[in-house]
Amino acid sequence: MSKRTSASSNGGPSKADAGSEPSYNKQKDLLASTTGHFSLLRALHMADYITELNGACGILSVFSSLRYCLGDPSDKSNLYLALAFLPFGLFFDFMDGRVARWRKKSSMMGQELDSLADLISFGLAPACVAFSIGLRTSLDHACLTVFVLCGLTRLARFNVTAANIPKDASGKASYFEGTPIPTTLGLDAIMAYWVSQDRILGAVPGGVWFAGSALEVHPVAFLFVIHGCLMCSKSLHVPKP
């Protein structure tokens, strides 16, 4: 979840951002520049590159899930690899905010990058793992789609409302509205356990409801829908550590 907001709770610049204003203006100038080479790369801060590593972990997880689907179902190495990339995504998601506050360099671009990387690593990638282990019916796809869209909506809401959430002296928000999207690692841990117990494909826990009909669905797919609803909750406030 993005911790790199650039406004305080009253809509003005926060204490941490006051020192980063010159670098923020430099980034805007570089992004708006029509001359010079690699201006986009030069505009990125150190924290932004760490955020890119978060996104890379999610992308590599997706590719690993695809490799499993194309390979021998009995060889689960790509499944384990797909799951292993996601905790590393969380590590980089944690570090980018730390580095941004340490260097006092935050920006709207960094905030948007953070949300997009989170959507890949904690939304799309877990859905791809779920598909790979056997959630492949039409209703399974609908449940996984709702899950990813809930993550997308939750991140967009955060970017819009972050300035209105109460903050401490360092500019850090005091709570999350709804469960933060990295909590999908809990679902990843459950899926990792199923993989280790060989409860995948035709042996997914809970079996299949309405087999052979248009309503065929694995009941465990509803875990993703429930988690998506928790992410989008407005009344659920999760204190920040």
Side-chain angles (χ1 to χ4, degrees):
M1 193 62 239
S2 175
K3 305 175 188 65
R4 298 161 58 183
T5 55
S6 57
S8 68
S9 57
N10 62 5
S14 70
K15 191 178 297 184
D17 294 322
S20 63
E21 191 67 26
S23 65
Y24 177 55
N25 290 334
K26 179 182 177 182
Q27 184 182 65
K28 288 201 298 183
D29 291 342
L30 285 170
L31 292 173
S33 174
T34 57
T35 60
H37 300 290
F38 306 108
S39 59
L40 178 59
L41 294 179
R42 290 186 285 116
L44 296 178
H45 299 148
M46 181 186 294
D48 299 332
Y49 284 106
I50 296 175
T51 303
E52 299 277 6
L53 292 175
N54 173 14
C57 288
I59 294 168
L60 291 171
S61 175
V62 171
F63 288 159
S64 297
S65 294
L66 293 175
R67 282 200 300 269
Y68 173 76
C69 291
L70 294 172
D72 180 4
S74 63
D75 181 6
K76 297 183 286 186
S77 57
N78 281 315
L79 270 183
Y80 283 119
L81 197 57
L83 289 161
F85 276 119
L86 303 181
F88 284 102
L90 179 65
F91 170 76
F92 291 123
D93 185 46
F94 174 77
M95 288 303 298
D96 62 9
R98 281 293 187 91
V99 170
R101 289 192 293 271
W102 165 54
R103 291 175 59 85
K104 293 184 172 60
K105 289 187 176 182
S106 61
S107 66
M108 284 301 298
M109 182 173 180
Q111 180 179 324
E112 298 299 328
L113 272 176
D114 192 271
S115 291
L116 292 170
D118 283 355
L119 179 63
I120 298 171
S121 293
F122 309 122
L124 179 62
C128 288
V129 174
F131 175 90
S132 298
I133 67 173
L135 304 189
R136 301 182 182 182
T137 73
S138 296
L139 277 185
D140 290 341
H141 296 169
C143 290
L144 295 176
T145 299
V146 168
F147 164 73
V148 177
L149 291 178
C150 283
L152 173 64
T153 306
R154 188 253 185 275
L155 290 166
R157 182 185 66 186
F158 178 86
N159 286 350
V160 172
T161 63
N164 300 322
I165 297 176
K167 295 178 175 61
D168 59 21
S170 67
K172 183 178 178 181
S174 57
Y175 61 80
F176 293 109
E177 282 187 343
T179 55
I181 194 169
T183 56
T184 58
L185 282 177
L187 293 174
D188 299 332
I190 293 172
M191 290 190 289
Y193 177 74
W194 291 343
V195 173
S196 69
Q197 300 299 306
D198 214 22
R199 300 297 304 274
I200 59 175
L201 301 176
V204 172
V208 182
W209 290 351
F210 312 112
S213 73
L215 299 177
E216 183 176 357
V217 64
H218 292 85
V220 295
F222 293 110
L223 289 176
F224 288 85
V225 176
I226 293 170
H227 193 89
C229 292
L230 291 175
M231 287 192 291
C232 288
S233 173
K234 177 73 173 177
S235 58
L236 177 61
H237 291 174
V238 181
K240 278 196 171 186

